[in-house]
Amino acid sequence: MELEIKNGVVFDPLNKVDGEKKDILIRDGRIVEKLKGKHDVIDASGKLVMPGGVEIHSHFAGGKETAGRMLRPEDGARTVYPKRNGLRSGSGYSMPSSFTAGYLYAQMGYTMCNTPAMPPLFARHTHEELGDVPIVDKSAYPTFDGNWFVMRYLKEGDPDKLAACVAWFLRATKGLVIKIVNPGGTENWGWGKNAVGIDDPVIGFDVTPAQIVKGLAEVNERLKLPHSIHLHPNNLGKPGNIETTVETLELCREVKSANARQTVYLTHAQFHSFGGDSWKNFESKADELAKYINRCDHVVCDTGNVTLDETTTMTSDGPMEYFLHNLTHLKWVNKDVELETAPGITPFIYSRKNPVHSVQWAIGLELALLIDDPFKVLLATDHPNGGPFTRYPRIIAWLMSEPYRRYYMEERVHKGAQKGSSLATLDREYTFSDIAVVTRAGQAKALGLSELKGHLGVGAHGDVAIYDIDPAQVDPSKDFKAVEKGFAKTAYTIKDGEIIVKDGLIRATPQGRTYWANPVVDHELDREMLKDVEQYFKKYYSVNLANYPVQKEYLKRGREIQIDARDVK
Amino acid sequence: MKEIILKVISQPTVGLEAENIAPKVFACKSSMEIAGLPIYEGNRERRLGDFFDVSGEAGEAEAETRIVIEGDVRLTKRIGQGMRAGEIHIKGSAGMHLGSKMRGGKVTVEGDCEAFCFQEMRGGVVHIKGNAGNYLGSATRGNWRGMRGGTITVDGNAGSEIATFMKGGKIHVKGDCASFAGVHMNKGFIVIDGRAERRIGAEMIGGTIVANEVEAMLAGFKPVETVKAPEIESEKFTGNYKKYSGDHADSRAKGTVWVKIQ
C-alpha cells in the first residue's frame, strides 16, 4: 500500500523542516524516499502537515482509571458518544471510556499514547484495557516508588540485584519506563503517613526518597532503557513545594546518561512549582524551575496544564488524593496495592473564580513560555488531573497567542493570577514548529523512540497528522480561535500509511502496537535475584508468582524492545 | 397559552424514552409534526403518533405551550426533561425521570409518579396528587449536586431517598415518607406531614427538615430545644416541636430536623 501526501506545509523539527512545502511518501507503513507504483494521493496544499502526535503522559487506561470511571457515573452521563459509523459507543467527559479515548486521540492527530502509572500488580488489567484502545500505539510505565524489592535492595546496597529486579519487573509487566510516584510516600501511606521531603525515612525500610530516586536513575542508565526515569516527586500540589522539586532534580545531575538524553523526566511540573507557605500567600515559582531547567541538560519536563474544567484527579499518590479529598469533601477512592504503590482518586473542580486554580492555570503556561528550549518542556495536562486531553487545542492556542492569554487573564480568570504569576509579562508566542516539538517531536525524543516516532524522515513510521490550518493565511496570534478549531480535529490522520481519520471522521480502527522494554541482564544474576523474588512472593503477595507475569502472547500487538544489558553482573 | 392534547393509544411493555414530550420541543409545531417526533421504544426508534393521538395546537414559544396527557403513562420516561417554561398536565400516572433537570414551568400529575422524578431540579412548580416514587427530587447517580430550586408538593406518600444531596428548593410531602429522606442534604427545606421512616437526614450538613412523626432519629443528631408553635423558614407550624441538629457523623454538620411532639 502506497500513499503520497502532496504539497503540504510540513513541520518536522527533528529533521529541521520548518514550514516547507514538501511531499511525504509512505510505503508499507514507513516513510520512504520513492514510491514504486500506483498509489493514492492526498492533496494537502494549504494544510499543516506534522508527524503523528505522541502523548507522553496521560492516564487514559489502567486500573485506577477504570476505578475513576466507576466512581463517577455523573461524569459518564455528562458526555455520551453513541454507537455510530461502526464505532463503539462510549461515555465520559474527563475520563472517556477506552475505545472512545482511542478515537478522540486519533481525531486530534495523535498516533501514540502512553499510560504513565501502572502498578505492576494491575499490569494484566492494563494490557487488557490497552488492547481495547484502538488506533494509537501505546505503552505503560510500571511504578516502582513503593516497591518492596527495590527498597530492600537499596537498603542492602546491592545495585546489581536491584538492576536485575527492575529488569524482571519490566519484563513481567510488559512495561516500558521506570515510573516513580511520590517515592517512599506511597509506602508510608500504608501507615497513614507521607514522605514530604527527600530525606524523610520510609517506614520499615530505612531508606529515603532521595535514595530511591537516585538508585533507580542509576539503574535506568545501567539497563540503557530508552526513556529516563519518569518522576513525580514528593510533595505534589502543596504550597512551597518548589524546594523539594529542585532538590529532587539535583539528585540526578551527576547520573551519566546511557543514551544521550535527559536522566530525569519531571512530569506535570505545574503541580511542583508552587511557592508560598499556605493557600493564602500561594504563588507561582515557575520562574525558579524554568531557570533551573534552562541552566542544565539532564531534565526534561511536561507542563501539566490546568484547563479550568471539572475533572477527575487520579494519581498513584494516595496521600495527596486524601489531602485533596479533605479540601473538597468530595467522594474519594483509595486503591492501595500490596507491596507496590497506593493510588487514589477524587473528583476536582478547577474554577476560574478561584485564585489558586487561576494561578495554577498561569503556572502551566508560564513554564512553557519561560523554558527556552521547547524540547525540554512538553505539552500535557496529566490527563485527567489538570484537565481532559480534549483541551489540548485550547492550550496550543494559548501558547501561540498572547492576546488570547491576555483575554483570559483580564476577563476570564481570577485577578489573583496576575498577582501570583508572571504570565502577564510574557509576550513569547509559540511558532507552529515549537508546537510540533511540544506535541510530538520532543515527546518522541524524550521517550527515546525518535527513530520511529515524532518525525517524517525516511524510515519513520508512516504516522502523519494533517490539519486544516494554512500557515500562510492564519496568523495564530490574532486568529487563535481558528488555531483552536484547526487542532481539534484533523483533516487527515494517517497511521502506518493508512488513512484513519478524514475530515474529523474515523474511517478505520486498526490495532496499535504496545511497546515494552526487555533489558537482558547476566543470566547468573537473574537467577540469584529470582530466588529472592520467589521467597518474597510466598511470604507477602496474595498472588502466586506463576500467575504474576503478563505473557507476551497476552498483548494484542506487542513490540519488544530488547536491550543487551549483560554487563550488569 | 395554547394546548396540545396527547391521548394514550397504547403503552408498550418496555419503557418509552420520550424526552421529546416537552413544551420546548412542541412549541411552533403543528399536531402533525408533533406526531412525527421520534421517541424510543427500548432501542427502537418510533414515532410519537404510534403511541399517542395528538390534537390541539402548540404555542409560539415554550412558555406559551401547555401539554395535556390523557391516560396512564407509567411506562413513558423523561417527559418534560430539562423544561424551562410552559406547562405539563398528566391526567393519570407518570413514568420515571419526569421533569428531570427541570428549570421552570409547571407540572401537575393527577395520579402517581414513578422513581427518579424531578432529579436535579432547579426551578418550577410541581404538584403530584397521588404518591411519589423513590428518589423524588434527588441527585442523579454519583452526583453530589442535587435539587437546587423550585417546589414539589406530593399529596400522597413518597418513597425512599427523596431529596438526596438537596441544595435548595422545597419538597412538601403530605403523606408518609420512606427511609433516608434528605440524605446528604446541604440546603433546602423538606416538610413531611405524615410519618417518616428511619434514617431521616442521614449525613445532612445543612438545610431543614420538618416531620410530623419520625420512626427513629439517627445517633448523629443532638436534641437542641423544644419550641412551641415555631416559625421555620418563614412558615408557621402549630404544636410543640423538638429541634435536632446534625448529622454529626460529618464534622461540617449544620442541618436541622424538627419533629412534632405528639
Side-chain angles (χ1 to χ4, degrees):
Chain A
M1 212 172 64
E2 303 190 350
L3 184 69
E4 180 180 5
I5 301 163
K6 265 171 78 171
N7 295 329
V9 188
V10 179
F11 289 89
D12 180 10
L14 283 175
N15 293 314
K16 310 232 161 12
V17 179
D18 185 8
E20 289 165 33
K21 200 171 251 192
K22 201 168 171 257
D23 298 345
I24 307 287
L25 310 173
I26 306 172
R27 190 173 67 227
D28 301 330
R30 298 279 184 139
I31 296 193
V32 291
E33 258 172 83
K34 256 196 190 134
L35 295 181
K36 279 183 177 161
K38 249 185 83 185
H39 55 264
D40 295 335
V41 179
I42 291 176
D43 181 19
S45 42
K47 291 192 170 74
L48 199 65
V49 177
M50 286 186 181
V54 180
E55 168 69 276
I56 198 163
H57 190 107
S58 157
H59 302 265
F60 66 97
K64 63 177 175 302
E65 288 76 357
T66 304
R69 292 184 191 112
M70 287 195 284
L71 177 71
R72 297 204 60 199
E74 79 281 7
D75 185 65
R78 183 170 168 193
T79 313
V80 178
Y81 302 91
K83 182 175 161 182
R84 138 175 345 141
N85 304 336
L87 304 184
R88 304 267 295 235
S89 64
S91 69
Y93 173 74
S94 69
M95 260 325 287
S97 38
S98 325
F99 282 92
T100 309
Y103 304 149
L104 291 173
Y105 266 120
Q107 281 173 330
M108 285 183 357
Y110 277 75
T111 53
M112 184 179 194
C113 300
N114 303 285
T115 184
M118 165 175 75
L121 195 58
F122 294 169
R124 197 173 293 277
H125 168 103
T126 307
H127 285 296
E128 277 197 20
E129 205 187 326
L130 287 181
D132 277 352
V133 178
I135 306 169
V136 290
D137 290 340
K138 51 238 153 176
S139 79
Y141 310 166
T143 47
F144 287 91
D145 39 271
N147 190 302
W148 286 17
F149 297 92
V150 167
M151 291 192 290
R152 176 183 158 185
Y153 289 133
L154 281 170
K155 185 185 169 188
E156 289 172 0
D158 196 341
D160 300 328
K161 270 191 181 169
L162 175 63
C165 168
V166 169
W168 181 79
F169 266 106
L170 287 171
R171 190 157 55 236
T173 62
K174 302 290 172 281
L176 182 68
V177 167
I178 299 176
K179 172 75 188 289
I180 309 167
V181 180
N182 188 1
T186 52
E187 172 58 26
N188 284 357
W189 181 232
W191 305 92
K193 305 226 162 47
N194 195 359
V196 179
I198 59 167
D199 294 320
D200 289 7
V202 181
I203 298 164
F205 284 92
D206 202 19
V207 294
T208 63
Q211 277 172 293
I212 297 175
V213 171
K214 195 149 188 227
L216 285 172
E218 275 160 2
V219 162
N220 191 82
E221 303 314 319
R222 285 186 78 191
L223 293 176
K224 306 180 200 76
L225 293 178
H227 189 39
S228 62
I229 53 165
H230 198 91
L231 180 65
H232 154 155
N234 302 86
N235 219 0
L236 177 142
K238 310 271 174 60
N241 62 9
I242 182 73
E243 269 177 47
T244 318
T245 310
V246 172
E247 277 172 13
T248 313
L249 296 178
E250 194 59 25
L251 291 171
C252 302
R253 188 189 275 275
E254 302 304 322
V255 178
K256 245 184 98 191
S257 173
N259 289 344
R261 46 140 174 77
Q262 79 281 4
T263 53
V264 57
Y265 182 91
L266 170 68
T267 190
H268 37 72
Q270 175 268 126
F271 291 109
H272 300 283
S273 310
F274 295 173
D277 48 24
S278 73
W279 296 117
K280 287 212 174 88
N281 61 8
F282 173 83
E283 58 172 348
S284 160
K285 282 280 178 211
D287 49 341
E288 200 173 320
L289 186 65
K291 215 183 284 167
Y292 180 85
I293 293 179
N294 278 336
R295 271 204 314 255
C296 63
D297 284 323
H298 70 286
V299 186
V300 169
C301 70
D302 68 58
T303 48
N305 286 87
V306 161
T307 60
L308 305 168
D309 284 291
E310 177 183 322
T311 191
T312 316
T313 63
M314 49 181 69
T315 69
S316 288
D317 191 344
M320 197 282 299
E321 293 290 343
Y322 179 67
F323 169 78
L324 266 191
H325 158 71
N326 274 342
L327 273 183
T328 61
H329 290 283
L330 298 181
K331 52 193 171 180
W332 161 68
V333 164
N334 191 44
K335 212 165 159 54
D336 191 68
V337 183
E338 55 188 37
L339 286 82
E340 289 171 359
T341 182
I345 306 148
T346 184
F348 198 82
I349 303 169
Y350 290 102
S351 165
R352 288 188 285 114
K353 293 170 191 155
N354 181 308
V356 172
H357 304 168
S358 301
V359 173
Q360 281 187 278
W361 165 82
I363 296 175
L365 297 172
E366 265 186 293
L367 282 168
L369 298 167
L370 285 168
I371 296 174
D372 301 329
D373 181 1
F375 276 100
K376 283 183 178 176
V377 55
L378 311 173
L379 189 152
T381 59
D382 187 21
H383 164 81
N385 293 318
F389 64 79
T390 43
R391 281 283 188 229
Y392 285 178
R394 180 168 292 177
I395 301 172
I396 291 173
W398 279 329
L399 291 177
M400 296 192 85
S401 166
E402 195 271 331
Y404 196 18
R405 294 199 296 268
R406 201 172 52 217
Y407 161 67
Y408 256 74
M409 204 71 176
E410 284 169 5
E411 311 210 1
R412 303 284 289 169
V413 303
H414 191 277
K415 292 281 174 279
Q418 294 183 13
K419 226 171 69 186
S421 79
S422 65
L423 185 62
T425 63
L426 302 175
D427 55 6
R428 180 175 171 196
E429 286 176 339
Y430 269 48
T431 61
F432 283 114
S433 187
D434 292 340
I435 294 296
V437 173
V438 297
T439 55
R440 44 263 290 163
Q443 254 98 341
K445 193 172 165 226
L447 266 174
L449 296 175
S450 56
E451 261 178 45
L452 300 171
K453 295 282 171 197
H455 74 111
L456 295 171
V458 171
H461 284 162
D463 299 350
V464 187
I466 305 173
Y467 298 98
D468 213 347
I469 301 171
D470 186 355
Q473 305 281 336
V474 174
D475 175 5
S477 179
K478 286 193 200 105
D479 306 335
F480 44 82
K481 282 282 169 199
V483 170
E484 187 174 335
K485 193 163 162 254
F487 276 105
K489 290 229 166 114
T490 56
Y492 291 91
T493 304
I494 292 142
K495 174 86 185 6
D496 296 322
E498 190 187 354
I499 297 174
I500 302 296
V501 178
K502 192 181 173 196
D503 298 326
L505 291 177
I506 294 185
R507 310 208 313 178
T509 55
Q511 183 67 44
R513 308 171 184 83
T514 303
Y515 286 95
W516 60 283
N518 184 10
V520 181
V521 298
D522 180 68
H523 187 61
E524 272 302 305
L525 176 68
D526 202 36
R527 246 188 22 206
E528 281 300 306
M529 183 273 309
L530 271 176
K531 277 185 197 157
D532 296 345
V533 172
E534 271 168 36
Q535 192 199 354
Y536 246 43
F537 261 84
K538 269 196 194 129
K539 217 167 162 184
Y540 298 114
Y541 265 98
S542 64
V543 189
N544 202 321
L545 176 59
N547 296 330
Y548 188 84
V550 179
Q551 298 83 346
K552 246 189 218 177
E553 295 72 23
Y554 211 77
L555 276 54
K556 277 197 180 147
R557 199 177 159 203
R559 282 289 181 279
E560 178 179 343
I561 301 178
Q562 211 175 48
I563 303 155
D564 184 3
R566 277 173 300 179
D567 51 328
V568 181
K569 282 184 187 162
Chain B
M1 189 174 267
K2 286 180 179 164
E3 203 171 81
I4 279 278
I5 298 162
L6 303 179
K7 206 166 181 179
V8 177
I9 303 170
S10 71
Q11 282 274 285
T13 43
V14 289
L16 283 179
E17 303 277 335
E19 64 266 36
N20 271 341
I21 304 182
K24 190 182 177 186
V25 185
F26 282 12
C28 301
K29 286 197 174 75
S30 70
S31 56
M32 279 289 281
E33 283 174 312
I34 291 168
L37 285 170
I39 55 176
Y40 282 84
E41 178 189 4
N43 60 3
R44 281 188 204 133
E45 195 179 308
R46 300 292 202 89
R47 303 287 131 202
L48 207 144
D50 298 347
F51 301 97
F52 297 95
D53 185 25
V54 186
S55 59
E57 209 181 326
E60 298 273 289
E62 189 180 8
E64 294 298 308
T65 305
R66 179 178 142 97
I67 302 171
V68 178
I69 301 175
E70 290 181 354
D72 196 287
V73 283
R74 219 172 254 278
L75 279 166
T76 306
K77 302 181 208 168
R78 302 186 187 281
I79 294 173
Q81 179 169 295
M83 69 187 273
R84 285 165 182 266
E87 208 178 317
I88 296 179
H89 190 119
I90 301 173
K91 292 186 172 168
S93 289
M96 291 200 278
H97 300 285
L98 169 69
S100 69
K101 302 203 166 124
M102 171 175 174
R103 281 162 178 262
K106 196 176 162 192
V107 177
T108 312
V109 183
E110 300 278 350
D112 303 339
C113 72
E114 293 281 325
F116 305 109
C117 291
F118 307 103
Q119 281 194 310
E120 290 173 21
M121 176 175 173
R122 289 189 176 201
V125 180
V126 175
H127 189 180
I128 298 157
K129 294 188 177 166
N131 299 324
N134 301 326
Y135 296 101
L136 174 77
S138 64
T140 51
R141 279 273 186 268
N143 210 341
W144 60 92
R145 293 153 292 199
M147 176 170 168
R148 291 188 209 184
T151 56
I152 301 176
T153 310
V154 183
D155 290 352
N157 303 327
S160 304
E161 294 193 43
I162 66 161
T164 61
F165 290 99
M166 189 179 196
K167 288 191 92 178
K170 184 189 169 187
I171 296 184
H172 185 176
V173 180
K174 292 188 177 165
D176 298 341
C177 208
S179 51
F180 280 112
V183 56
H184 287 292
M185 187 172 174
N186 196 345
K187 263 181 208 152
F189 188 32
I190 303 175
V191 180
I192 301 161
D193 289 351
R195 175 182 154 91
E197 277 181 31
R198 282 161 180 266
R199 302 183 184 91
I200 184 170
E203 295 211 344
M204 73 192 288
I205 54 169
T208 312
I209 305 178
V210 181
N212 192 45
E213 197 187 334
V214 168
E215 192 180 341
M217 289 302 290
L218 278 168
F221 284 89
K222 289 180 192 159
V224 181
E225 55 180 344
T226 306
V227 183
K228 196 178 168 187
E231 192 180 316
I232 307 163
E233 305 267 327
S234 55
E235 268 183 48
K236 288 214 167 77
F237 290 85
T238 53
N240 289 338
Y241 278 83
K242 194 165 184 182
K243 183 182 177 185
Y244 293 88
S245 81
D247 177 352
H248 293 283
D250 194 302
S251 56
R252 297 165 293 164
K254 277 198 187 111
T256 320
V257 177
W258 297 79
V259 181
K260 192 167 185 182
I261 300 167
Q262 301 299 327

PDB file of all heavy atoms in Angstrom, chain B residues 25-44:
ATOM      1  N   VAL B  25     -39.896  21.456  22.801  1.00  0.00           N
ATOM      2  CA  VAL B  25     -39.866  20.710  21.536  1.00  0.00           C
ATOM      3  C   VAL B  25     -41.163  20.931  20.762  1.00  0.00           C
ATOM      4  O   VAL B  25     -41.159  21.064  19.541  1.00  0.00           O
ATOM      5  CB  VAL B  25     -39.647  19.209  21.813  1.00  0.00           C
ATOM      6  CG1 VAL B  25     -39.495  18.444  20.514  1.00  0.00           C
ATOM      7  CG2 VAL B  25     -38.431  19.001  22.702  1.00  0.00           C
ATOM      8  N   PHE B  26     -42.285  20.998  21.496  1.00  0.00           N
ATOM      9  CA  PHE B  26     -43.586  21.120  20.836  1.00  0.00           C
ATOM     10  C   PHE B  26     -43.838  22.521  20.281  1.00  0.00           C
ATOM     11  O   PHE B  26     -44.581  22.670  19.307  1.00  0.00           O
ATOM     12  CB  PHE B  26     -44.715  20.779  21.828  1.00  0.00           C
ATOM     13  CG  PHE B  26     -44.893  19.300  22.061  1.00  0.00           C
ATOM     14  CD1 PHE B  26     -43.952  18.383  21.615  1.00  0.00           C
ATOM     15  CD2 PHE B  26     -46.011  18.820  22.730  1.00  0.00           C
ATOM     16  CE1 PHE B  26     -44.113  17.029  21.834  1.00  0.00           C
ATOM     17  CE2 PHE B  26     -46.185  17.467  22.948  1.00  0.00           C
ATOM     18  CZ  PHE B  26     -45.228  16.567  22.512  1.00  0.00           C
ATOM     19  N   ALA B  27     -43.258  23.533  20.901  1.00  0.00           N
ATOM     20  CA  ALA B  27     -43.557  24.918  20.530  1.00  0.00           C
ATOM     21  C   ALA B  27     -43.372  25.121  19.028  1.00  0.00           C
ATOM     22  O   ALA B  27     -42.431  24.604  18.427  1.00  0.00           O
ATOM     23  CB  ALA B  27     -42.668  25.868  21.317  1.00  0.00           C
ATOM     24  N   CYS B  28     -44.278  25.896  18.415  1.00  0.00           N
ATOM     25  CA  CYS B  28     -44.233  26.234  16.987  1.00  0.00           C
ATOM     26  C   CYS B  28     -44.424  25.029  16.066  1.00  0.00           C
ATOM     27  O   CYS B  28     -44.129  25.125  14.877  1.00  0.00           O
ATOM     28  CB  CYS B  28     -42.921  26.914  16.601  1.00  0.00           C
ATOM     29  SG  CYS B  28     -42.620  28.412  17.481  1.00  0.00           S
ATOM     30  N   LYS B  29     -44.873  23.887  16.589  1.00  0.00           N
ATOM     31  CA  LYS B  29     -45.062  22.738  15.705  1.00  0.00           C
ATOM     32  C   LYS B  29     -46.555  22.427  15.588  1.00  0.00           C
ATOM     33  O   LYS B  29     -47.333  22.643  16.518  1.00  0.00           O
ATOM     34  CB  LYS B  29     -44.334  21.512  16.277  1.00  0.00           C
ATOM     35  CG  LYS B  29     -42.833  21.575  16.121  1.00  0.00           C
ATOM     36  CD  LYS B  29     -42.209  20.202  16.319  1.00  0.00           C
ATOM     37  CE  LYS B  29     -40.735  20.221  16.025  1.00  0.00           C
ATOM     38  NZ  LYS B  29     -39.935  20.863  17.075  1.00  0.00           N
ATOM     39  N   SER B  30     -46.957  21.915  14.402  1.00  0.00           N
ATOM     40  CA  SER B  30     -48.343  21.505  14.223  1.00  0.00           C
ATOM     41  C   SER B  30     -48.527  20.125  14.856  1.00  0.00           C
ATOM     42  O   SER B  30     -47.543  19.433  15.148  1.00  0.00           O
ATOM     43  CB  SER B  30     -48.667  21.433  12.736  1.00  0.00           C
ATOM     44  OG  SER B  30     -47.969  20.345  12.177  1.00  0.00           O
ATOM     45  N   SER B  31     -49.772  19.723  15.047  1.00  0.00           N
ATOM     46  CA  SER B  31     -50.010  18.417  15.672  1.00  0.00           C
ATOM     47  C   SER B  31     -49.466  17.285  14.796  1.00  0.00           C
ATOM     48  O   SER B  31     -49.047  16.254  15.289  1.00  0.00           O
ATOM     49  CB  SER B  31     -51.496  18.228  15.969  1.00  0.00           C
ATOM     50  OG  SER B  31     -52.233  18.387  14.782  1.00  0.00           O
ATOM     51  N   MET B  32     -49.466  17.517  13.463  1.00  0.00           N
ATOM     52  CA  MET B  32     -48.895  16.518  12.556  1.00  0.00           C
ATOM     53  C   MET B  32     -47.397  16.340  12.810  1.00  0.00           C
ATOM     54  O   MET B  32     -46.877  15.232  12.884  1.00  0.00           O
ATOM     55  CB  MET B  32     -49.098  16.968  11.097  1.00  0.00           C
ATOM     56  CG  MET B  32     -50.462  16.690  10.526  1.00  0.00           C
ATOM     57  SD  MET B  32     -50.693  14.945  10.249  1.00  0.00           S
ATOM     58  CE  MET B  32     -49.795  14.749   8.708  1.00  0.00           C
ATOM     59  N   GLU B  33     -46.720  17.498  12.902  1.00  0.00           N
ATOM     60  CA  GLU B  33     -45.268  17.455  13.147  1.00  0.00           C
ATOM     61  C   GLU B  33     -44.969  16.785  14.483  1.00  0.00           C
ATOM     62  O   GLU B  33     -44.007  16.026  14.608  1.00  0.00           O
ATOM     63  CB  GLU B  33     -44.696  18.882  13.143  1.00  0.00           C
ATOM     64  CG  GLU B  33     -44.536  19.477  11.772  1.00  0.00           C
ATOM     65  CD  GLU B  33     -44.113  20.938  11.834  1.00  0.00           C
ATOM     66  OE1 GLU B  33     -44.737  21.702  12.593  1.00  0.00           O
ATOM     67  OE2 GLU B  33     -43.173  21.281  11.121  1.00  0.00           O
ATOM     68  N   ILE B  34     -45.783  17.097  15.476  1.00  0.00           N
ATOM     69  CA  ILE B  34     -45.555  16.525  16.804  1.00  0.00           C
ATOM     70  C   ILE B  34     -45.731  15.013  16.760  1.00  0.00           C
ATOM     71  O   ILE B  34     -44.935  14.261  17.329  1.00  0.00           O
ATOM     72  CB  ILE B  34     -46.497  17.182  17.835  1.00  0.00           C
ATOM     73  CG1 ILE B  34     -46.076  18.630  18.054  1.00  0.00           C
ATOM     74  CG2 ILE B  34     -46.479  16.421  19.149  1.00  0.00           C
ATOM     75  CD1 ILE B  34     -47.062  19.461  18.813  1.00  0.00           C
ATOM     76  N   ALA B  35     -46.742  14.554  16.033  1.00  0.00           N
ATOM     77  CA  ALA B  35     -46.968  13.104  15.937  1.00  0.00           C
ATOM     78  C   ALA B  35     -45.804  12.408  15.243  1.00  0.00           C
ATOM     79  O   ALA B  35     -45.564  11.222  15.444  1.00  0.00           O
ATOM     80  CB  ALA B  35     -48.264  12.834  15.189  1.00  0.00           C
ATOM     81  N   GLY B  36     -45.036  13.155  14.467  1.00  0.00           N
ATOM     82  CA  GLY B  36     -43.903  12.569  13.749  1.00  0.00           C
ATOM     83  C   GLY B  36     -42.597  12.589  14.534  1.00  0.00           C
ATOM     84  O   GLY B  36     -41.585  12.082  14.067  1.00  0.00           O
ATOM     85  N   LEU B  37     -42.601  13.172  15.721  1.00  0.00           N
ATOM     86  CA  LEU B  37     -41.357  13.259  16.503  1.00  0.00           C
ATOM     87  C   LEU B  37     -40.882  11.867  16.925  1.00  0.00           C
ATOM     88  O   LEU B  37     -41.683  10.994  17.233  1.00  0.00           O
ATOM     89  CB  LEU B  37     -41.590  14.104  17.759  1.00  0.00           C
ATOM     90  CG  LEU B  37     -41.698  15.616  17.567  1.00  0.00           C
ATOM     91  CD1 LEU B  37     -42.161  16.268  18.859  1.00  0.00           C
ATOM     92  CD2 LEU B  37     -40.364  16.204  17.131  1.00  0.00           C
ATOM     93  N   PRO B  38     -39.555  11.657  16.921  1.00  0.00           N
ATOM     94  CA  PRO B  38     -39.063  10.335  17.310  1.00  0.00           C
ATOM     95  C   PRO B  38     -39.099  10.117  18.833  1.00  0.00           C
ATOM     96  O   PRO B  38     -38.784  11.037  19.599  1.00  0.00           O
ATOM     97  CB  PRO B  38     -37.621  10.339  16.802  1.00  0.00           C
ATOM     98  CG  PRO B  38     -37.226  11.770  16.778  1.00  0.00           C
ATOM     99  CD  PRO B  38     -38.473  12.570  16.543  1.00  0.00           C
ATOM    100  N   ILE B  39     -39.512   8.936  19.232  1.00  0.00           N
ATOM    101  CA  ILE B  39     -39.290   8.505  20.615  1.00  0.00           C
ATOM    102  C   ILE B  39     -38.795   7.067  20.558  1.00  0.00           C
ATOM    103  O   ILE B  39     -38.945   6.388  19.549  1.00  0.00           O
ATOM    104  CB  ILE B  39     -40.549   8.626  21.512  1.00  0.00           C
ATOM    105  CG1 ILE B  39     -41.741   7.879  20.934  1.00  0.00           C
ATOM    106  CG2 ILE B  39     -40.917  10.055  21.776  1.00  0.00           C
ATOM    107  CD1 ILE B  39     -42.948   7.930  21.868  1.00  0.00           C
ATOM    108  N   TYR B  40     -38.167   6.624  21.607  1.00  0.00           N
ATOM    109  CA  TYR B  40     -37.549   5.307  21.582  1.00  0.00           C
ATOM    110  C   TYR B  40     -38.340   4.296  22.400  1.00  0.00           C
ATOM    111  O   TYR B  40     -38.679   4.554  23.550  1.00  0.00           O
ATOM    112  CB  TYR B  40     -36.116   5.386  22.105  1.00  0.00           C
ATOM    113  CG  TYR B  40     -35.174   5.937  21.070  1.00  0.00           C
ATOM    114  CD1 TYR B  40     -35.027   7.297  20.882  1.00  0.00           C
ATOM    115  CD2 TYR B  40     -34.467   5.066  20.252  1.00  0.00           C
ATOM    116  CE1 TYR B  40     -34.191   7.791  19.906  1.00  0.00           C
ATOM    117  CE2 TYR B  40     -33.625   5.553  19.274  1.00  0.00           C
ATOM    118  CZ  TYR B  40     -33.484   6.919  19.102  1.00  0.00           C
ATOM    119  OH  TYR B  40     -32.661   7.393  18.127  1.00  0.00           O
ATOM    120  N   GLU B  41     -38.641   3.166  21.750  1.00  0.00           N
ATOM    121  CA  GLU B  41     -39.222   2.041  22.476  1.00  0.00           C
ATOM    122  C   GLU B  41     -38.082   1.049  22.684  1.00  0.00           C
ATOM    123  O   GLU B  41     -37.639   0.409  21.739  1.00  0.00           O
ATOM    124  CB  GLU B  41     -40.343   1.415  21.643  1.00  0.00           C
ATOM    125  CG  GLU B  41     -40.966   0.215  22.325  1.00  0.00           C
ATOM    126  CD  GLU B  41     -41.930  -0.539  21.418  1.00  0.00           C
ATOM    127  OE1 GLU B  41     -42.071  -0.186  20.237  1.00  0.00           O
ATOM    128  OE2 GLU B  41     -42.537  -1.491  21.915  1.00  0.00           O
ATOM    129  N   GLY B  42     -37.588   0.957  23.889  1.00  0.00           N
ATOM    130  CA  GLY B  42     -36.372   0.177  24.115  1.00  0.00           C
ATOM    131  C   GLY B  42     -35.275   0.796  23.275  1.00  0.00           C
ATOM    132  O   GLY B  42     -34.978   1.974  23.413  1.00  0.00           O
ATOM    133  N   ASN B  43     -34.663   0.020  22.347  1.00  0.00           N
ATOM    134  CA  ASN B  43     -33.636   0.623  21.498  1.00  0.00           C
ATOM    135  C   ASN B  43     -34.139   0.882  20.083  1.00  0.00           C
ATOM    136  O   ASN B  43     -33.365   1.107  19.173  1.00  0.00           O
ATOM    137  CB  ASN B  43     -32.381  -0.262  21.478  1.00  0.00           C
ATOM    138  CG  ASN B  43     -32.665  -1.641  20.945  1.00  0.00           C
ATOM    139  OD1 ASN B  43     -33.789  -1.920  20.534  1.00  0.00           O
ATOM    140  ND2 ASN B  43     -31.666  -2.500  20.956  1.00  0.00           N
ATOM    141  N   ARG B  44     -35.471   0.849  19.886  1.00  0.00           N
ATOM    142  CA  ARG B  44     -36.003   1.079  18.540  1.00  0.00           C
ATOM    143  C   ARG B  44     -36.635   2.454  18.422  1.00  0.00           C
ATOM    144  O   ARG B  44     -37.374   2.880  19.297  1.00  0.00           O
ATOM    145  CB  ARG B  44     -37.064   0.027  18.222  1.00  0.00           C
ATOM    146  CG  ARG B  44     -36.414  -1.266  17.838  1.00  0.00           C
ATOM    147  CD  ARG B  44     -37.417  -2.271  17.338  1.00  0.00           C
ATOM    148  NE  ARG B  44     -36.817  -3.578  17.561  1.00  0.00           N
ATOM    149  CZ  ARG B  44     -37.451  -4.592  18.116  1.00  0.00           C
ATOM    150  NH1 ARG B  44     -38.705  -4.471  18.464  1.00  0.00           N
ATOM    151  NH2 ARG B  44     -36.828  -5.735  18.301  1.00  0.00           N
TER     152      ARG B  44
END
